[in-house]
Each structure stands twice: as structure tokens, then as C-alpha cells.
Amino acid sequence: MTTGRAARTNEGSHGLIGPRTEKIVSLALQGGGAHGAFTWGVLDYILEDGRLGIEAITGASAGAMNAVVLFEGWLENGADGARAQLRSFWKRVSLDGVLSPLQRSVFDRFLTFWSSDSLPTQSLVNAWARMASPYDLNPLDINPLRDALSGLINFERVRACADGKLFITATNVWTGKIRIFKRDELTVDHVLASACLPMVFKAVEIDGEPYWDGGYTGNPALFPLFYETRTDDVLLVQINPIERRSTPRTAQEIQNRLTEITFNANLLHELRIVEFVMRLIDEGKLSTSNYKRVLMHRIDGNHKLDDFAASSRLNARWSFFKELKDLGRAAAREWLDANYDAIGQRSSLDLKAAYS
């Protein structure tokens, strides 16, 4: 977490998404399938509220898509453009959107495998889904996300623009290591790689190497925000619950909980490191001349997302997206009302409680 010299204030920051304001943050956007629509709501409210500038965004999976869509929409028409672009994206990828009949049938088939927990035949379907490969079931590699992103995003403009920083996480299949792609190299393939669920889509090849969902190695990766930004404030939008106070008993429930634990593991590890370094700084054992004093904040569902089964991450109905968006807007409004004054001054997230 070393840095040349992190600015303790946001004075003189540049390359921002959003207004030129003294309150500047970096955003860290978790992935979680359809639950990324909650993040859409959070971003929509932050953009509407207008009090925060955004220096950088790091994201994985659905968080990566939200990041790129917001960024390109901002280039088009500021906050209004970003809000409109986010809405257009989520509408396009919904099953009620502009998917072709072939795309819809393929996507709906996979969604049925992973989201129909209550069906008596679900155990057989789940067993088949785990044994079947997308290389067999989806040989043409039909991916509605590709058309949705390609139709909305001008990646050449994204790469050329110096306003704000983007960090997109993917997992290298060969090495099992995290890979961070930056704004100036992004194409639709980099975003698809970040959101590539290996049981649904073929691995995405970039420069001859295959990549899977970034959530396996960083959901989201926080460290780029420690090394490559001026602002000390990191606002995490978390959509995967850390805790569930129930014991999974069915095969599907067990698999869903394992997925949640896996997709939170690296985030908890990074939060532990942040807390450790901040404690050493506070004890005078490390100097802020060499180490960045990160101020962590978090917006989550306040247990509202816990009401949805983990399998609902693959519910792509427009009505469900809108429900999650409304929850996200409400959570962002509540968080800003309670914690706006803390930005730039102190962490509003209890790091030790968050990871222990």
C-alpha cells in the first residue's frame, strides 16, 4: 500500500468523472450477476445527487460492466448521459429487452438451470448443469452481453479519454492469477472476460490467453485504488452478503453459499490488509510519507439483499432489475445522508468488523 505521496486532500485532483468538488472518491464495484442492478441504483443516485466527484472505478463482473457503461455515458452527456446509459444497458440485458429470440432462448435456458430452486426436478437439472460444458451446450458462444455492450459503448472513445481511471478485473485461467486491465486498453472482450462465468460461457481469449470472471480473484480488486489515485477515499458498493444466518442443506443451497464465500474471499483479505496498515500508521510505526492512509466507506443492501436467494443473481427480468435499482437508490441516499461529512476526514466503515 505504499505510494509516492498520497494527497490527504482532494485539492488539485484532475481527470474526474463528476463535478469538480472537494468531495472526491474512488468507487469499488462488486460483481454478482443480476444483483449488479443494485449497484446501478447506487450509481444512479450518486450521479443525481451530484456532490461527489469520482476519480477512479475498479470493478469485476457486473461491477466492471457498470463501471464502463457509467464512464462512457459520462463522456456522452455528463451525469444525465451516465444515468441514461446505465438504464439502457440494464434494459438491454434483461429478458424483456432487445435480445434476439435465439439469445433469449440460450440465456433463459441457463438461467433456468441456476435459478429455479423450488422445482422438484432441480437436483437433476443442477447435476446436468455441472457436468455440461458451455463448449457443448453453447458451441456458438452466444453471449447477449456482447451485443449489449457493443451496441452501447464506444470503446475507442473510452480508451482515448483521460477523464477518470478504470480498472477491470479478470482471472487468468492458465495461471489462476488476477489480471487488471486499465482504461487505455479496454475492448468489449476485456469486459466480457471480467464477467465470464465458466459454466455459462466459453473462456474469453485476450492476447492468446483465456480469462474467466474476475470475481474469483478480486471482487473487486481494491489495490489499484491504493497505488494509482490521489484521493484517499474508497467507496465500496458491496452486493454479495458476507453473512447468511442459515445453514444451507440442499445441494443448490450449498453451491450458492460456496459461490458467495468464494466471491468475497479476496475482498475480505484486502480489507484485512488495509486495517493492518491503518493500525500501524495510527501507532506511528508507518509514515504517511510512504504509506497511503486509506479511508474506507461501504454501501450495501443493509440486509435487504439477503432476502433474495443467491440464485437470483441470474434472474434477468426487467421488473427484478428495477426492484434492485430502487433498493440501491434508497441505500445510497441513506448512506450519503449519514456519512457525507466523513468523506475526506475518516473511514465510515469499521474495517475490523467488516472482515472478522
Side-chain angles (χ1 to χ4, degrees):
M1 201 177 299
T2 56
T3 178
R5 176 65 180 97
R8 287 309 310 273
T9 70
N10 292 315
E11 210 173 300
S13 293
H14 61 282
L16 302 178
I17 306 168
R20 305 285 169 172
T21 172
E22 63 178 13
K23 297 285 188 177
I24 297 170
V25 300
S26 292
L27 297 178
L29 308 182
Q30 250 196 345
H35 290 188
F38 175 89
T39 302
W40 164 31
V42 170
L43 299 175
D44 186 75
Y45 186 80
I46 288 174
L47 290 163
E48 180 186 85
D49 180 78
R51 286 180 289 171
L52 295 181
I54 303 167
E55 182 180 357
I57 310 176
T58 181
S61 199
M65 290 184 283
N66 275 320
V68 172
V69 172
L70 181 155
F71 187 90
E72 203 268 352
W74 178 267
L75 297 180
E76 181 73 25
N77 190 29
D80 290 340
R83 296 178 67 200
Q85 200 77 310
L86 284 164
R87 186 185 191 282
S88 295
F89 170 75
W90 285 98
K91 180 64 176 178
R92 279 176 178 250
V93 298
S94 74
L95 292 178
D96 312 281
V98 297
L99 301 182
S100 69
L102 181 58
Q103 289 176 320
R104 186 174 292 110
S105 66
V106 171
F107 208 43
D108 207 7
R109 183 173 62 195
F110 280 110
L111 297 175
T112 301
F113 291 163
W114 292 84
S115 62
S116 302
D117 292 342
S118 60
L119 294 179
T121 58
Q122 189 60 33
S123 59
L124 288 175
V125 174
N126 288 339
W128 183 43
R130 285 193 294 272
M131 290 186 294
S133 162
Y135 292 83
D136 300 321
L137 292 178
N138 188 13
L140 299 179
D141 202 23
I142 297 169
N143 189 339
L145 297 175
R146 178 179 293 277
D147 287 346
L149 288 167
S150 298
L152 280 176
I153 306 301
N154 182 335
F155 281 93
E156 183 177 355
R157 179 164 58 183
V158 169
R159 292 191 298 271
C161 181
D163 286 342
K165 299 175 181 179
L166 291 176
F167 305 99
I168 304 303
T169 303
T171 301
N172 187 299
V173 178
W174 290 349
T175 67
K177 296 179 181 179
I178 191 171
R179 174 69 186 273
I180 304 295
F181 298 107
K182 299 182 181 180
R183 187 209 68 247
D184 58 4
E185 60 185 322
L186 292 181
T187 67
V188 67
D189 282 338
H190 294 89
V191 184
L192 292 177
S194 184
C196 180
L197 292 171
M199 293 305 295
V200 178
F201 302 113
K202 295 180 180 180
V204 178
E205 286 201 5
I206 299 172
D207 297 329
E209 296 190 0
Y211 289 90
W212 282 340
D213 197 295
Y216 292 110
T217 49
N219 193 23
L222 300 181
F223 65 87
L225 305 180
F226 307 152
Y227 293 104
E228 301 196 40
T229 63
R230 290 174 58 85
T231 182
D232 294 341
D233 290 87
V234 175
L235 174 55
L236 168 66
V237 182
Q238 188 170 343
I239 58 178
N240 290 316
I242 299 294
E243 296 186 11
R244 281 191 185 272
R245 293 293 178 173
S246 61
T247 302
R249 300 186 185 279
T250 69
Q252 185 67 27
E253 289 171 347
I254 292 169
Q255 183 60 50
N256 287 339
R257 186 57 183 146
L258 283 172
T259 299
E260 286 181 332
I261 292 171
T262 300
F263 273 57
N264 278 325
N266 286 287
L267 173 63
L268 294 178
H269 177 68
E270 287 201 89
L271 291 178
R272 185 177 290 109
I273 292 173
V274 172
E275 191 275 333
F276 176 68
V277 173
M278 295 308 98
R279 183 153 37 90
L280 293 180
I281 290 175
D282 290 342
E283 293 172 356
K285 296 176 181 177
L286 294 177
S287 168
T288 53
S289 297
N290 298 311
Y291 290 85
K292 187 168 189 171
R293 198 179 195 293
V294 177
L295 305 179
M296 285 296 307
H297 313 279
R298 180 176 66 188
I299 297 176
D300 57 24
N302 293 323
H303 303 296
K304 294 175 183 176
L305 289 179
D306 295 358
D307 295 335
F308 300 102
S311 58
S312 66
R313 292 190 308 271
L314 290 176
N315 179 349
R317 299 294 175 187
W318 177 238
S319 58
F320 184 59
F321 288 170
K322 290 194 295 182
E323 180 182 1
L324 289 176
K325 178 203 175 187
D326 290 342
L327 289 175
R329 282 182 55 85
R333 181 187 303 111
E334 181 180 329
W335 185 87
L336 276 170
D337 287 347
N339 297 289
Y340 179 77
D341 290 341
I343 300 172
Q345 302 298 319
R346 56 181 172 80
S347 292
S348 61
L349 174 64
D350 184 337
L351 285 167
K352 196 164 187 178
Y355 72 76
S356 65

